[in-house]
């Protein structure tokens, strides 16, 4: 049975006092069996998360990692640094980075490889644009994005990642994928991995991301191939985020 993961992508939001209040509310909530929580925070707040969350059931992580391990790479964050601040996860390949920073499929795969080398679990994001969906290219686009990951990581690496399907047109728009759209892509991604190894495919955690909120969490979290959510806006509101977790727990 795959566990569900509810991961909050805070993006470039936060302030020490607000973070503390949000995390306190998460820690005060009941622990649900079969559901793991994580918060993915701006790098300057990793130390705060380490202080507040060590020993709790909420994991934390970064929102990106360098494919390089150290050196003259101004502004980048190394996997070893994320480890030093207790991170379990890091996002790689979020569409906001693919688009704004020109990150290619192969760069994203390289970042995932570096994360794994430092015992971090990369949450590898992929997904199609609206134009690609409207021209019927969704399957081709996501398959290609996943193929780069499979090629770089191999089966051993694939067994240690989390995948997140995030249709770009659903991110921050209030318009999530329909359950049918989400399930179709999740099943397709799982089959692509299962073609390499049935066991790795069966065990792969695939999160859905894109306007997940309390109001649509039940219909999305009950889908057979959806193993949790990567939550942006709603992760900044404790009650919303926790409600998504409850929906995922009920879906087991
Ligand atoms: P959203 O963002 O939930 O605000 O749509 C999701 C994401 O970008 O990870």
């Amino acid at each position: 049975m795959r566990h569900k993961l509810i991961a909050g992508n805070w993006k470039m939001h936060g302030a020490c006092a607000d973070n503390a209040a949000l995390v306190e509310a998460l820690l005060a909530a009941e622990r649900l069996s079969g559901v793991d929580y994580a918060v993915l925070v701006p790098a300057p707040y990793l130390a705060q998360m380490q202080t507040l969350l060590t020993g709790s059931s909420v994991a934390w992580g970064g929102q990106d990692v360098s494919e390089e391990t150290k050196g003259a790479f101004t502004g980048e964050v190394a996997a070893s640094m994320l480890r030093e601040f207790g991170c379990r996860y890091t996002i790689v390949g979020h569409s906001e980075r693919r688009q704004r920073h020109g990150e290619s499929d192969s760069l994203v795969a390289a970042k995932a490889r570096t994360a794994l080398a430092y015992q971090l679990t990369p949450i590898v994001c992929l997904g199609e644009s609206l134009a690609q969906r409207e021209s019927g290219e969704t399957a081709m686009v996501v398959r290609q994005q996943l193929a780069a990951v499979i090629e770089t990581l191999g089966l051993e690496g694939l067994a240690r990642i989390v995948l997140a399907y995030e249709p770009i047109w659903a991110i921050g728009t209030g318009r999530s994928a329909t359950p049918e759209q989400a399930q179709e892509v999740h099943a397709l991604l799982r089959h692509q991995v299962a073609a390499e190894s049935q066991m790795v495919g069966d065990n792969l955690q695939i999160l859905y991301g894109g306007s997940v909120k309390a109001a649509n969490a039940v219909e999305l979290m009950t889908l057979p191939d959806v193993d949790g959510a990567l939550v942006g806006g709603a992760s900044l509101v404790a009650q919303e985020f926790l409600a998504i977790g409850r929906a995922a727990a009920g879906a087991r």
Side-chain angles (χ1 to χ4, degrees):
M1 171 62 99
R2 294 184 298 269
H3 259 238
K4 304 267 185 199
L5 172 62
I6 306 300
N9 173 11
W10 290 6
K11 308 195 180 188
M12 201 171 73
H13 293 286
C16 287
D18 298 346
N19 302 345
L22 178 51
V23 160
E24 212 171 281
L26 299 183
L27 293 177
E30 88 241 67
R31 287 191 58 176
L32 302 168
S33 70
V35 180
D36 298 324
Y37 286 104
V39 290
L40 307 162
V41 307
Y45 298 130
L46 289 172
Q48 186 188 19
M49 293 305 114
Q50 190 173 31
T51 301
L52 295 176
L53 295 174
T54 294
S56 82
S57 59
V58 179
W60 63 97
Q63 298 177 357
D64 183 35
V65 69
S66 177
E67 77 281 14
E68 303 287 351
T69 54
K70 68 173 168 182
F73 304 104
T74 302
E76 302 215 10
V77 173
S80 61
M81 299 170 188
L82 296 181
R83 280 303 298 174
E84 206 168 8
F85 286 94
C87 292
R88 182 181 306 169
Y89 298 100
T90 183
I91 298 176
V92 299
H94 192 280
S95 62
E96 284 152 19
R97 294 208 60 86
R98 289 182 187 256
Q99 289 185 321
R100 291 177 56 89
H101 301 271
E103 295 193 4
S104 64
D105 291 347
S106 61
L107 177 62
V108 170
K111 288 181 173 211
R113 181 175 54 199
T114 302
L116 286 174
Y118 284 82
Q119 281 72 53
L120 292 162
T121 300
I123 300 177
V124 182
C125 300
L126 45 75
E128 81 288 359
S129 68
L130 185 58
Q132 288 165 333
R133 174 159 287 270
E134 285 177 343
S135 50
E137 293 170 6
T138 298
M140 189 196 77
V141 168
V142 299
R143 277 203 187 102
Q144 198 174 312
Q145 290 170 328
L146 179 55
V149 178
I150 295 175
E151 192 186 311
T152 301
L153 301 188
L155 268 182
E156 203 210 333
L158 262 189
R160 295 165 54 211
I161 71 167
V162 172
L163 209 57
Y165 169 55
E166 297 207 310
I168 296 169
W169 47 270
I171 295 176
T173 58
R175 174 190 168 196
S176 76
T178 65
E180 294 71 27
Q181 288 170 327
Q183 171 56 27
E184 187 183 10
V185 175
H186 280 237
L188 175 163
L189 294 169
R190 192 178 306 287
H191 284 144
Q192 189 174 344
V193 174
E196 307 286 323
S197 157
Q198 188 68 44
M199 194 177 75
V200 175
D202 285 346
N203 289 331
L204 181 66
Q205 251 183 344
I206 311 180
L207 312 183
Y208 169 77
S211 296
V212 179
K213 48 187 181 247
N216 59 20
V218 171
E219 62 182 27
L220 289 165
M221 295 302 110
T222 46
L223 297 168
D225 286 295
V226 172
D227 308 309
L230 184 54
V231 185
S235 73
L236 300 172
V237 182
Q239 291 320 315
E240 281 281 316
F241 191 59
L242 291 166
I244 296 165
R246 283 194 298 275
R252 290 182 76 245

